[in-house]
Amino acid sequence: MSKKILRAALCTLVLSPVATLAAAAAPLNVGFVYISPIGDAGWTTQHDIARKEMEKALGPKITTKYVENVPEGADSERVIRDLAQQGSKLVITTSFGYMNPTLKVAKQFPDVKFIHVTGYKTAANVGNTNARFYEGRYLAGVLAGKMSKTHTAGYVAAFPIPEVLQGVNAFARGMRSVDPKAQVKVIWVNSWFDPGKERDAAITLLGQGADVVTHHTDSTAVVQAAEEKGKYAIAYHSDMKKYGSKAQLGAVTHHWGAYYAKQAQAVIDGSWKPSSVWGGIKDGMVKLEGINAAVPADVRQFVAAREKDLVSGALAPFAGPMKDNEGKLRLDKGTLGDDALNKMDYFVEGVLGKVSNK
């Protein structure tokens, strides 16, 4: 063997372990797809806060990127595919309508892991997660029931899918648990994020006698409308008190950071497996916070006690007997199981109107 060849071979032997360590230390690229602009409050804001929390927790072990304001449908499929093609080895898609596009792209990239938020389908490289938002909604309903003078709340809702219906129904049951006369009026806006429509719906509901409004939509418009009209609001997704310091009674908020960090670490470790995670208040994924100083101490204490009961299992938002708003018995006794919750397609007693966004 010539000296030149021997020297090259020795260099290869010396450098190979270094190259291997460098490859092993390469950060995990994590891509996010957001349904609306990030903004500073709302659904997408909470996911972006979680992305930053994951970065802080895992440091140089990860890098992240995101694409915001991506419509559900063909556009989302293109964005999800682009992230996988650009080297993201974990892709997190954060809206219900991204479910089938996520599954389609996942088949094309079997070496990439995917997590879909609020969906119910999994695959070999697709997991999903959701939060028991309805637990926070029930507590918010208790708070609204204690504070309302008209016995009427308004609810601005996006689409009549089970997740949204769980929230409407839990809010109504919480409200009626402290005020049997309470009723909840619903307006569908057919969009996750449309501040103009959300505002119009809130103004309409306030004009129909609601003195508390809430929403399952992404912007701050409902809270702002309540502030303008001198009424109360329950914020959703984020604490929105800076948009309605007098209006906001409280906020049902979402927290994904610890979950995302755990999932990313599992991918790094090579231990990731598709799973379905549905966490609630006791898991730290849902909170009722931002309680207004105007809420009397005894009401705060009452709501806090209900929260403890909910966490312990002594209280269930959907416990029998439970009827729908047409008088049909939906549950005689016991509590509604997860399968039934994920198929919910009706309003409970106390909710006015029909399950339709038409």
Side-chain angles (χ1 to χ4, degrees), residues 65-93:
K65 63 177 67 174
Y66 61 83
V67 183
E68 60 186 319
N69 207 23
V70 179
E72 296 171 330
D75 248 10
S76 66
E77 182 182 327
R78 174 186 58 78
V79 171
I80 296 165
R81 183 178 293 106
D82 284 350
L83 287 170
Q85 288 175 333
Q86 292 166 11
S88 294
K89 292 301 181 182
L90 173 61
V91 177
I92 300 173
T93 61

Side-chain angles (χ1 to χ4, degrees), residues 243-282:
Y243 293 97
S245 59
K246 295 180 180 179
Q248 181 180 289
L249 287 174
V252 178
T253 60
H254 312 157
H255 305 271
W256 308 96
Y259 169 80
Y260 286 157
K262 183 178 180 180
Q263 293 295 306
Q265 185 63 59
V267 175
I268 292 167
D269 295 341
S271 61
W272 188 91
K273 294 180 180 180
S275 61
S276 294
V277 174
W278 200 6
I281 289 177
K282 69 179 179 181

Side-chain angles (χ1 to χ4, degrees), residues 135 281-282 304-316:
E135 293 181 347
I281 289 177
K282 69 179 179 181
R306 297 291 75 74
E307 181 174 339
K308 287 182 179 179
D309 288 343
L310 195 154
V311 170
S312 72
L315 169 67

Side-chain angles (χ1 to χ4, degrees), residues 7-144:
R7 192 180 301 115
L10 287 171
C11 287
T12 301
L13 287 172
V14 171
L15 293 174
S16 288
V18 176
T20 301
L21 285 171
L28 172 72
N29 297 312
V30 185
F32 287 79
V33 186
Y34 297 151
I35 186 67
S36 57
I38 292 172
D40 58 1
W43 172 259
T44 292
T45 301
Q46 295 304 116
H47 286 287
D48 202 58
I49 289 171
R51 178 183 66 83
K52 293 172 183 175
E53 290 173 347
M54 180 180 66
E55 286 182 332
K56 184 177 181 180
L58 300 182
K61 293 190 286 186
I62 65 167
T63 61
T64 70
K65 63 177 67 174
Y66 61 83
V67 183
E68 60 186 319
N69 207 23
V70 179
E72 296 171 330
D75 248 10
S76 66
E77 182 182 327
R78 174 186 58 78
V79 171
I80 296 165
R81 183 178 293 106
D82 284 350
L83 287 170
Q85 288 175 333
Q86 292 166 11
S88 294
K89 292 301 181 182
L90 173 61
V91 177
I92 300 173
T93 61
T94 63
S95 190
F96 182 80
Y98 295 159
M99 181 168 61
N100 289 331
T102 299
L103 290 162
K104 185 175 180 180
V105 175
K107 287 182 180 179
Q108 300 164 356
F109 294 88
D111 62 331
V112 177
K113 313 303 182 190
F114 296 82
I115 294 172
H116 177 242
V117 182
T118 71
Y120 54 88
K121 296 180 180 179
T122 60
N125 59 333
V126 181
N128 61 45
T129 186
N130 206 345
R132 297 183 185 274
F133 310 122
Y134 64 86
E135 293 181 347
R137 292 293 200 182
Y138 183 92
L139 296 176
V142 172
L143 177 57

Side-chain angles (χ1 to χ4, degrees), residues 216-272:
H216 194 135
T217 47
D218 201 358
S219 85
T220 59
V222 171
V223 174
Q224 289 174 296
E227 181 82 356
E228 178 185 321
K229 296 296 184 181
K231 304 297 183 181
Y232 287 134
I234 303 289
Y236 193 51
H237 304 312
S238 302
D239 186 337
M240 298 179 179
K241 61 178 172 286
K242 71 178 181 180
Y243 293 97
S245 59
K246 295 180 180 179
Q248 181 180 289
L249 287 174
V252 178
T253 60
H254 312 157
H255 305 271
W256 308 96
Y259 169 80
Y260 286 157
K262 183 178 180 180
Q263 293 295 306
Q265 185 63 59
V267 175
I268 292 167
D269 295 341
S271 61
W272 188 91

